[in-house]
Amino acid sequence: QKEVEQNSGPLSVPEGAIASLNCTYSDRVSQSFFWYRQYSGKSPELIMSIYSNGDKEDGRFTAQLNKASQYVSLLIRDSQPSDSATYLCAVRPIYNQGGKLIFGQGTELSVKP
Amino acid sequence: DGGITQSPKYLFRKEGQNVTLSCEQNLNHDAMYWYRQDPGQGLRLIYYSQIVNDFQKGDIAEGYSVSREKKESFPLTVTSAQKNPTAFYLCASSIRRGTSGNTGELFFGEGSRLTVL
C-alpha cells in the first residue's frame, strides 16, 4: 500500500462545476496535510494546508480533513479552465521534524469550457 | 523579489558524466530539499538539509550527492552511479518555525530537466 494515494485521473469537469479531489494516507498519526497545484511543465505551488479535522476554506478552494478515516480532500467550486492542472496531495508524518513530505502521484484535473 | 533559482533549466548529459544542478534561495529559509519527478509520478525526496553543513538522505539518495556550505545554496550532483537520471529535478525550501520543526509548506524553484543522451 502506498503511503499517500490519489486517483491519477484525468478528472474532467465542466466549467462552473465543483471539482472534488481525494487523497488517502496510511500513517494514522500524520499531522499536516497539503495540496499543491502543478501546471504542465511547471513546478508545484502550495494552494492549501490543513492541520485539524474539518473544513478549511480559501476563496474557491475548500480542504477537508478526516483523520479517523485517513483522508483529505480538495473541493474547487466554480471550476475554471485555468484550474486545469495536476493536484498533488502531500502528508507530513508526525515523527518527521525535517519538513519531509510524502507526496501522492497527483490527480490530473481538466476543466472544459 | 524573493525566490528560489534553479539552473540550468535544461541539461543534457552523456552516460558516465557527473552533472551539478544549482539551487539558490534568498528567502532566508533554513531547510532546503531536492525532489525528483518522473512523468505521471509524484515527487520523490532525494536529499534534504535543515541547517548549514548538515544534510540527510531522502528516499532515493543513491547516485546523488549534495552539499550545504551556505544557507542560500544547496547544489545537487547527479553522479554516473545514478542509473536512470533522466527526470525533472525540483529544489524547494521551507521556513523553520519554533520548536516544532519545519512547517512542511514548501516553496519550489522552476525545476531543472535533465536528459541523458
Side-chain angles (χ1 to χ4, degrees), chain A residues 24-96:
Chain A
T24 58
Y25 59 94
S26 59
D27 185 353
R28 183 173 295 276
V29 296
S30 293
Q31 286 285 297
S32 308
F33 307 87
F34 307 88
W35 284 100
Y36 286 82
R37 177 176 62 199
Q38 185 175 26
Y39 292 113
S40 181
K42 303 296 184 181
S43 60
E45 58 178 328
L46 179 68
I47 54 172
M48 290 288 283
S49 58
I50 186 166
Y51 304 97
S52 55
N53 277 329
D55 295 359
K56 178 181 178 183
E57 187 174 316
D58 184 1
R60 296 186 295 112
F61 297 99
T62 299
Q64 299 176 317
L65 174 61
N66 184 325
K67 290 187 178 180
S69 299
Q70 294 175 240
Y71 84 78
V72 57
S73 62
L74 179 70
L75 301 178
I76 306 175
R77 291 182 300 281
D78 188 24
S79 295
Q80 301 298 309
S82 59
D83 295 325
S84 297
T86 296
Y87 290 80
L88 300 167
C89 173
V91 175
R92 178 187 165 197
I94 190 172
Y95 57 80
N96 182 267

Side-chain angles (χ1 to χ4, degrees), chain B residues 50-111:
Chain B
Q50 298 183 65
I51 56 173
V52 175
N53 293 322
D54 186 55
F55 49 83
Q56 286 79 40
K57 293 181 178 180
D59 300 316
I60 56 165
E62 184 176 352
Y64 299 98
S65 66
V66 294
S67 63
R68 186 86 186 276
E69 297 177 0
K70 299 185 301 182
K71 186 175 184 178
E72 301 80 16
S73 178
F74 192 40
L76 173 73
T77 297
V78 185
T79 75
S80 57
Q82 170 49 236
K83 297 306 178 188
N84 185 23
T86 295
F88 188 40
Y89 290 88
L90 289 158
C91 179
S93 69
S94 70
I95 195 168
R96 168 176 284 205
R97 290 180 181 166
T99 58
S100 64
N102 299 294
T103 65
E105 297 177 359
L106 302 181
F107 295 82
F108 286 89
E110 292 188 342

